[in-house]
Amino acid sequence: MPKDGGIGASTKRREDVRFLTGKGRYTDDINIRGQAYAWFIRSDVAHGRINTIDTSAAEAMDGVVKVFTSADFAGVGGIPCGWQVTDRFGKPMQEPKHPVLADGKVRHVGDPIAVVVAETLEQARDAAEAVEIDITQLPAVVDMKAALLPDAPKVHEELTSNLCYDWGFVEENKAAVDEAFAKAAHVTTLELINNRLVANPMEPRVAVGDYESHSGHHTLYTTSQNPHVIRLLMGAFVLGIPEHKLRVVAPDVGGGFGSKIYHYAEEAFVTFAAKALNRPVKWTSSRSEAFLSDAQGRDHVTKIQLALDADNNFTALRTDTYANMGAYLSTFAPSIPTWLHGTLMAGNYRTPLIYVNVKAVFTNTIPVDAYRGAGRPEATFQLERLVDKAARELGVSPIELRRQNFIKADQFPYQTPVAVVYDTGNYDATLDKLLEISDHAGFEARAAESKARGKLRGFGLAHYIEACGIAPSNLVGQLGARAGLYESASVRVNATGSITVFTGSHSHGQGHETSFAQVVAEMIGIDAGQIEIVHGDTSNTPMGMGTYGSRSLAVGGSAIVKATNKIVNKAKKIAAHLLEASEGDIELKDGKFSVAGTDKSVDWAGVTLAAYVPHNYPLESMEPGLEETAFYDPSNFTYPSGGYGCEVEIDPETGKVEILAFSAADDFGNIVNPMIVEGQVQGGLAQGIGQALMENCAYDENGQLLSGSFMDYAMPRADDLPMFKVDHSCITPCTHNPLGVKGCGEAGAIGSPPAVVNAVIDALHRAGRTDITHIDMPLTPSRVWAAMNKA
């Protein structure tokens, strides 16, 4: 049994005390004496030429400090993209400029044109209505395939077309894949859409800029998942501020799900304006504004095919995908449908040949980037829907077709045909556990009971594998990443034995302050209450890459382990001196250093005090103090995996789908805090089910956002979801990080959408509607009813 506060204990999240008692400190809680307020004037057309901007009336209004336009940003860099993709012909992607404020043209509804800064928010908002902007509306392009037609309107005139890149992976496999399809005994083809989503964290984005004229120091307070990356991008590429003169602080952040990874124009603006006006400037997004300004997710259109031999073994897979980039390239957008998607197309299966083609397209819509799972949900949805469809065409069990083609436990490490090497896994074990916890054996009886009530019941299965903690830096650099993907930690031991850990990771709901402390407590053998975790401020944390891609524990936690090991090694030298013993004979257990084979010992606090009060201390060979820093760059991804089962009931009169039960059996490697892991899975399941049944970001043909509020964009509520059965007892530890952990934060959002859709299709097939082979998400009552009532 794990000890209290150590690894394996379901310790309650210590940060929840301040959140639940209203003591959290979010960016909007930060108000600086003398601050002014910014109100962004955004385009109400998707594509247009800006003829004139008349700010005179607004600038004459009470309280207005200044109205900014693109003219004020002459010489200022644009918002940079953090990943360059090279296409299948060896050419770099087309990379248009992304100005802080629209310069000459607007390219999507919500594109910022001007900003009013005033003494109060109300004055800024009122003055914004007095700014007169003359725009000549231009034809907009929203549909990706239409955007690639020769006569399509160009989103960016300086580009040759609306095609960002045409990516092929693995290009040298293409001919062999085509040959395998020509020889296949059976080919299954599926065309599907991965619907566009709006990330809706509880806390909208906020940015506060401050400037000290006497020192030249800038400070940005922002709702960010990675403050060091924002400092790097904004300082080096946008505003040209030396990094030692720029501090970025991300305090408590109320959720991110990917949408707070990126560097946004609003952050650059308030930092720039604070210096220009020599006073703090604050911007707070409304929920409606967030729909128009935050990067959105998914939005793929795919044709995928699977080739099988006469024994139903998978022989080849190929996909053709159109991926929407929106009007501009968000920070990591080019990598999502390529390296975070194509490398996962092997899934859990022994498919020897795979070819992935992705065409990334510019359209007059809000930019698209990572959303919980980032490329892996798209890959899993394609693959798991395809495998289910193949099983039905072949007349075999979807469960057994998967099991037959799984990579087996004795085949790890497993080299996939899409570059990555899975180090560990046991997919049969997670499938068996899923069937057990979902009571699959009792499903037929439950289906009969539903039928007696005039309802249609179905069971859907999906297996997933995820690549987490994207790495290593030297590899991703070759693939186009413009940043490192390591993580950092500094461990400072105080004289009385308490510890402060400074981490480059950032917590916005994951529970780092609890789980990171558990790791250090376990290593030293002290109470976790003696350990404080500090994050989110570039002025007191080492340069780190932040939190995304389920990397915090595997990468950030490993950096903490490295730094703590350095602490322990030095502490053993101090203990050896105090105990007059050889360093090699010193053991650390339960917070006490002892000499092996003797009763001589000194406790943790005795050693730490000696480090800072070096009266009897070998100063000639060892420095005082006990503080160490480490950087950890992983040698590989981690590969969590699992089996998900969904049981639904459909009302044939209305098409309404009700989820009766959902079970998740995951392999996350070693578990530090089971309670936090369960919460992460539950949250991901809610978001994945939301995509499957409700959420859909829709534009009309003119680029107007039709789902611009919660009146039009349906979010899942508590009564839309069942009680989840979550299990993570199937453990195959990661082999290349010191904790043996894998990521867990995105799993639920990856595996759940195909499980839900597979369950609905199963219910319809059981009712005799075998002609219905696919329904695109979201599976709203109207879509399901229409499919059932189509001749």
Side-chain angles (χ1 to χ4, degrees), residues 26-57:
Y26 297 88
T27 308
D28 198 44
D29 293 322
I30 296 171
N31 293 290
I32 306 171
R33 184 179 177 87
Q35 75 186 14
Y37 296 83
W39 185 274
F40 280 76
I41 302 168
R42 301 181 182 275
S43 176
D44 59 2
V45 300
H47 196 198
R49 184 172 294 107
I50 302 172
N51 300 318
T52 60
I53 304 175
D54 185 352
T55 64
S56 56

Side-chain angles (χ1 to χ4, degrees), residues 37-43 101 108-116 121 124-125 128 198-201 203-207 264-267 269-270 282-296 366-367 699 705 707-710:
Y37 296 83
W39 185 274
F40 280 76
I41 302 168
R42 301 181 182 275
S43 176
L101 295 178
H108 66 84
V109 171
D111 210 354
I113 302 171
V115 189
V116 178
L121 182 60
R125 182 175 56 210
V198 177
N200 279 295
E203 178 200 25
R205 289 191 298 115
V206 184
Y264 286 97
E266 295 85 359
E267 295 167 323
F269 173 81
V270 298
K282 181 175 185 176
W283 167 77
T284 300
S285 174
S286 67
R287 182 66 64 183
S288 296
E289 192 173 13
F291 271 87
L292 299 175
S293 63
D294 292 7
Q296 298 175 348
I366 294 161
Y699 293 84
L705 183 63
S707 50
S709 75
F710 289 150

Side-chain angles (χ1 to χ4, degrees), residues 376 468-471 473 484-488 504-505 512 516 544-558 632 634 638 743-746:
R376 290 92 90 197
C468 300
I470 181 171
S473 290
L485 289 166
Y486 54 85
E487 198 46 87
S488 63
S505 298
H512 293 171
F516 285 176
M545 292 295 104
T547 296
Y548 45 84
S550 300
R551 73 193 304 268
S552 295
L553 195 57
V555 187
S558 293
Y632 175 75
T638 68
C744 72
E746 297 164 297

